[in-house]
Amino acid sequence: MSTFPSTTSADGIWTLTDQRTALMGSNWPSQTYSIDYLVVAGGGGGDTTLGGGGGAGGFQSSSGFFVTSGTPYTVTVGAGASPGSRGSNSVFSSITSVGGGAGTRQAGPGAQNGGSGGGAYYTNPVGLGTTGQGNGGGAGSPSETSGGGGGSGGSGGSATPTVGGSGGSGTASPYSGSPVTYAGGGGGGAYYGTGGSGGSGGGGNAGPSGNSAGSNGSPNTGGGGGGASYNTPGGQAGGSGGKGIV
């Protein structure tokens, strides 16, 4: 057998037992690999009472990220938000995708910022997206309809007097197998009109009309939750955001 292996070299012929012994003693050369990655945060929740759509979780996907064998890396999959709340961040090593912002409701504050921003009610401020991860939410209408949440592929739609804004579109990625679309925004709620549809990539639909609940964002997509259409006291809720994926 040749010179005893180290973290930089292992010349010669080694039995599996020798290799295992060296690895257990941290005396085996590490290898560096270039990998593809997909990091999607949890989606934001749609809100109650004419709620804006939840923004999608931040989306980041690329190739050429280098990892080293034997090195531990942090992996955190962000949870989808409850109605009216922001989604949780997803993390892989040094890459952090920001949770989606919540939509806002009647008599509520402005929509939240996030990976993608939440949709606004009436004339409240829209939520803003994070550069490189998502887009802003859509504006509401003075006729009491709300904007859609932003998606990774496009901003949330603005509401019209009779229809809530649609959720922003998501982005397709092949890294989980066949191409799958992730990080779509949730649709915005309406008063007596029609709720907005969720964006491609797991965005939840708003309550369709009347006193109806918003749909949840799809799990493992980071989609935003749909906003509730007109909500009487003790009535319907917005949809929850979808869990992210790493």
Side-chain angles (χ1 to χ4, degrees), residues 26 32 40 112 138 151 178 191 230-231 237:
S26 299
T32 299
V40 183
Q112 292 180 345
S178 59
Y191 189 51
Y230 185 66
N231 187 320

Side-chain angles (χ1 to χ4, degrees), residues 97-192:
S97 290
V98 179
T104 190
R105 64 187 182 279
Q106 186 182 43
Q112 292 180 345
N113 302 335
S116 283
Y121 165 78
Y122 202 64
T123 57
N124 286 347
V126 302
L128 304 178
T130 300
T131 301
Q133 300 188 23
N135 295 279
S141 163
S143 298
E144 297 193 291
T145 48
S146 295
S152 60
S155 299
S158 294
T160 71
T162 58
V163 181
S166 59
S169 61
T171 305
S173 171
Y175 293 156
S176 56
S178 59
V180 175
T181 302
Y182 300 93
Y191 189 51
Y192 289 120

